[in-house]
Amino acid sequence: MAAFPFAPPVLPLAADAPHTVCLALVGDLDHEVGDEVLHQVLHALRGGEDVRDLRLDCRGLGTVDSAGLAVLLQIHRHTSGDGTGFHLDTMGPRLERLLRITGTYEYLTTPQQAPPSARSAPSAGSAGSAGSAEEDPGTLGSGA
């Protein structure tokens, strides 16, 4: 499941919906590549036109350490701040276990749907898509 040493940690994927950025996370997400992954994801979000959803395909993800988890949390915080939806797709059992142990599973996997005018002003209500849920971006799940 590990990627080649020279493989980029983030690969673009074809989006299945308009205003959606789809990226594959490949290899280990750890202290060695965490900053690069964060940079690449944020760059992809800025490069898209009127991005409303971010989908991260995790099927090629290997080991995720605490620095990698911090990257996922930073990406989520960024998308929450600008009203962009955040989705972790095709999560393997190791990543799911890490998120559950750290109390971040609900926080990172509860559907976060972008409101219609996400770029201009995030709003409490979201319309148009199934699976939307209320989310308090300032509160991390404590796992208690």
Side-chain angles (χ1 to χ4, degrees):
M1 191 131 114
F4 293 104
F6 53 87
V10 178
L11 300 172
L13 298 173
D16 56 355
H19 310 290
T20 300
V21 170
C22 296
L23 302 170
L25 300 180
V26 180
D28 295 338
L29 181 52
D30 57 20
H31 69 282
E32 291 182 17
V33 298
D35 289 340
E36 180 63 21
V37 169
L38 181 61
H39 172 76
Q40 287 183 20
V41 170
L42 295 181
H43 181 73
L45 286 172
R46 279 189 232 102
E49 186 174 319
D50 194 24
V51 175
R52 295 184 189 149
D53 278 306
L54 171 65
R55 302 199 76 89
L56 297 176
D57 186 316
C58 300
R59 89 182 73 219
L61 199 55
T63 302
V64 179
D65 68 6
S66 59
L69 177 58
V71 168
L72 293 176
L73 291 167
Q74 287 175 308
I75 294 168
H76 184 278
R77 197 171 305 122
H78 178 82
T79 59
S80 293
D82 69 7
T84 302
F86 176 88
H87 311 274
L88 293 176
D89 296 332
T90 323
M91 213 182 347
R94 292 190 310 181
L95 178 57
E96 182 178 339
R97 182 171 185 269
L98 173 68
L99 299 182
R100 289 191 185 281
I101 287 171
T102 59
T104 58
Y105 182 82
E106 298 294 326
Y107 180 73
L108 289 175
T109 62
T110 299
Q112 171 185 310
Q113 191 63 42
S117 59
R119 290 291 177 193
S120 58
S123 66
S126 73
S129 292
S132 64
E134 288 185 30
E135 175 86 11
D136 179 5
T139 306
L140 288 177
S142 64

